[in-house]
Amino acid sequence: MIAIIGGTGMAEILNEGRERIIYTKYGKAKILEDDNVIILLRHGLKHNIPPHRINYKANIYALKLLGVDKILAINSVGSLKKEIRPGTFFIPNDFMEFTKRRDDTFYNDRVVHVDLTEPYCPAMRKELKKILDKFNFEYQEGVYICTEGPRFETKSEIKFYSNLGDVVGMTGYPEVVLARELGLCYSSLCNVTNYACGISEDLLSVEEVFETIKKMEEKIVKVVREFINSNFESCKCREAYERGIIC
């Protein structure tokens, strides 16, 4: 079972299937269900949930309850490097997080240390690259920096982050870790919507972000549909989870 988690601007693109509310011990999650695909819009159908208020634990746990074993997250990001151009794709192979107030683990009452040598499922990443190459869509790989939001980052922050990573976003963490804690395969397909503050000479605007997403809409749908219908090799995501349990 595959789940697609959509972010900023994804409501109109991925709004398909029967609406359903899943109640979990961490809260409720609203999903769209269509055959063997689950779609979860992390900001809500009306895009009214800011990144720092998303109930990431309820979302990921709900997908686990539904029998999902693979999660493809769609994330909108800002570029920290001139060569990573808006309008292209980015596949994270690692991350660093600078969040402040997020509930980022399922294990507060037992000791679990999950391995994050490869936080994003290598088999899923390989398949995504194969699909992007098939359609000749431009993409790069690298490190995703996650900030708290909802504000955009300052010029000095971006200067600092650019020494550590390649793109910056607000929703990639703690999704990736929570998925690993439940033994789920997780990978991210980022659409680069803008240059981050200080790299771009213009002021950042939400309009710019949505405008770029609109231009990429057809490509995003194409990649997601191809991914849903693909078959790829197994990985060690669940094994990394099982090895981390102490008691």
Side-chain angles (χ1 to χ4, degrees), residues 31-177:
I31 64 153
L32 298 169
E33 196 170 23
D34 185 14
D35 297 328
N36 63 334
V37 179
I38 304 293
I39 295 173
L40 192 154
L41 300 171
R42 63 169 74 86
H43 294 291
L45 294 177
K46 297 180 180 179
H47 200 271
N48 59 348
I49 306 173
H52 65 295
R53 298 296 299 275
I54 294 169
N55 192 336
Y56 295 97
K57 287 175 71 172
N59 287 347
I60 300 300
Y61 200 78
L63 297 180
K64 175 73 171 182
L65 291 177
L66 291 169
V68 167
D69 56 3
K70 299 179 183 67
I71 300 173
L72 173 61
I74 311 297
N75 300 87
S76 296
V77 296
S79 172
L80 295 170
K81 305 287 170 64
K82 277 287 187 181
E83 61 270 23
I84 301 176
R85 301 183 302 107
T88 63
F89 290 104
F90 183 87
I91 301 177
N93 53 29
D94 206 346
F95 73 86
M96 295 187 71
E97 61 96 5
F98 295 87
T99 60
K100 303 171 184 176
R101 301 182 293 272
R102 303 189 184 187
D103 193 353
D104 57 1
T105 181
F106 289 111
Y107 302 112
N108 291 312
D109 56 355
R110 62 190 296 198
V111 181
V112 177
H113 300 300
V114 293
D115 181 87
L116 290 175
T117 303
E118 291 190 275
Y120 301 93
C121 175
M124 291 181 69
R125 283 175 38 232
K126 182 178 178 181
E127 185 64 22
L128 279 175
K129 289 187 284 184
K130 179 181 174 182
I131 292 170
L132 291 169
D133 286 335
K134 174 182 176 179
F135 293 127
N136 200 28
F137 292 159
E138 184 179 344
Y139 71 93
Q140 294 196 48
E141 294 181 87
V143 179
Y144 177 109
I145 303 290
C146 190
T147 60
E148 183 69 9
R151 66 171 176 83
F152 285 128
E153 302 74 26
T154 69
K155 193 173 181 178
S156 294
E157 287 172 331
I158 290 302
K159 184 177 180 180
F160 172 69
Y161 295 146
S162 65
N163 292 317
L164 304 173
D166 302 288
V167 298
V168 61
M170 303 176 192
T171 56
Y173 183 90
E175 277 184 2
V176 57
V177 173

Side-chain angles (χ1 to χ4, degrees), residues 121-244:
C121 175
M124 291 181 69
R125 283 175 38 232
K126 182 178 178 181
E127 185 64 22
L128 279 175
K129 289 187 284 184
K130 179 181 174 182
I131 292 170
L132 291 169
D133 286 335
K134 174 182 176 179
F135 293 127
N136 200 28
F137 292 159
E138 184 179 344
Y139 71 93
Q140 294 196 48
E141 294 181 87
V143 179
Y144 177 109
I145 303 290
C146 190
T147 60
E148 183 69 9
R151 66 171 176 83
F152 285 128
E153 302 74 26
T154 69
K155 193 173 181 178
S156 294
E157 287 172 331
I158 290 302
K159 184 177 180 180
F160 172 69
Y161 295 146
S162 65
N163 292 317
L164 304 173
D166 302 288
V167 298
V168 61
M170 303 176 192
T171 56
Y173 183 90
E175 277 184 2
V176 57
V177 173
L178 293 173
R180 179 57 56 84
E181 285 192 342
L182 295 182
L184 306 178
C185 294
Y186 179 101
S187 189
S188 170
L189 175 68
C190 298
N191 42 287
V192 183
T193 59
N194 57 278
Y195 282 117
C197 176
I199 296 175
S200 169
E201 296 179 1
D202 299 322
L203 291 176
L204 298 182
S205 69
V206 174
E207 287 76 14
E208 176 186 355
V209 171
F210 277 90
E211 186 178 317
T212 305
I213 292 173
K214 188 67 178 175
K215 291 177 181 177
M216 296 183 70
E217 180 177 317
E218 188 176 329
K219 291 182 178 180
I220 294 170
V221 171
K222 211 168 185 177
V223 174
V224 169
R225 286 179 176 166
E226 185 79 10
F227 184 85
I228 289 171
N229 294 319
S230 62
N231 293 305
F232 46 90
E233 61 191 38
S234 59
C235 64
K236 297 183 178 180
C237 294
R238 179 158 185 84
E239 183 181 333
Y241 154 73
E242 290 173 341
R243 288 186 175 189

